Amino acid sequence: MTAPTPLAGSPAAVPVLALGDTLLVSLQGELHDRTAEQLQQDIAHRVARSAATGVVIDVSGVDAVDSFLGRVIAEIAAHTRLLAGRTVLCGMGPAVAITLVEFGLTLPGVLTALDVERAFELLRQDALAAVPGGGAGCT
């Protein structure tokens, strides 16, 4: 595991942890637009530089989302997918889920999981399925 990397030039930086070939981002509280945009750029650069194959975005610390944050999450997933990675959104509470549906945000390409542990398991299963014969006989 590498140390968290704060976003450059932002006092309210969102740390991005590298855990093997997966980046973990834990959103806490309200995320301002500029910080969300910087996070989006930082993750795209980190995925490209590190060849990360997965990004887990934990929103368990977020009480509410707006349409801008929803769009940023969708764009993070799109960038990650273009760089041959997968994005899992986890820890979503009912209020966040309801808000995303009310905004009509479908978040294409974003997998969902109940918690971080299940998100990592989902990425592991996805990676095994992508390898020819990788899922056969594996536990």
Side-chain angles (χ1 to χ4, degrees), residues 26-46:
S26 182
L27 302 180
Q28 302 293 319
E30 185 179 342
L31 196 64
H32 299 287
D33 290 357
R34 181 158 170 9
T35 305
E37 287 175 337
Q38 186 62 47
L39 175 65
Q40 178 181 344
Q41 292 173 10
D42 186 54
I43 290 174
H45 289 291
R46 291 281 301 272

Side-chain angles (χ1 to χ4, degrees), residues 45-100:
H45 289 291
R46 291 281 301 272
V47 168
R49 277 197 323 258
S50 68
T53 59
V55 175
V56 174
I57 303 173
D58 178 13
V59 294
S60 60
V62 175
D63 294 326
V65 296
D66 59 12
S67 60
F68 183 77
L69 181 56
R71 184 174 57 83
V72 166
I73 291 170
E75 289 176 3
I76 288 170
H79 294 153
T80 303
R81 192 170 49 256
L82 287 172
L83 295 168
R86 303 288 295 196
T87 302
V88 181
L89 185 65
C90 68
M92 190 180 330
V96 171
I98 290 167
T99 303
L100 290 174

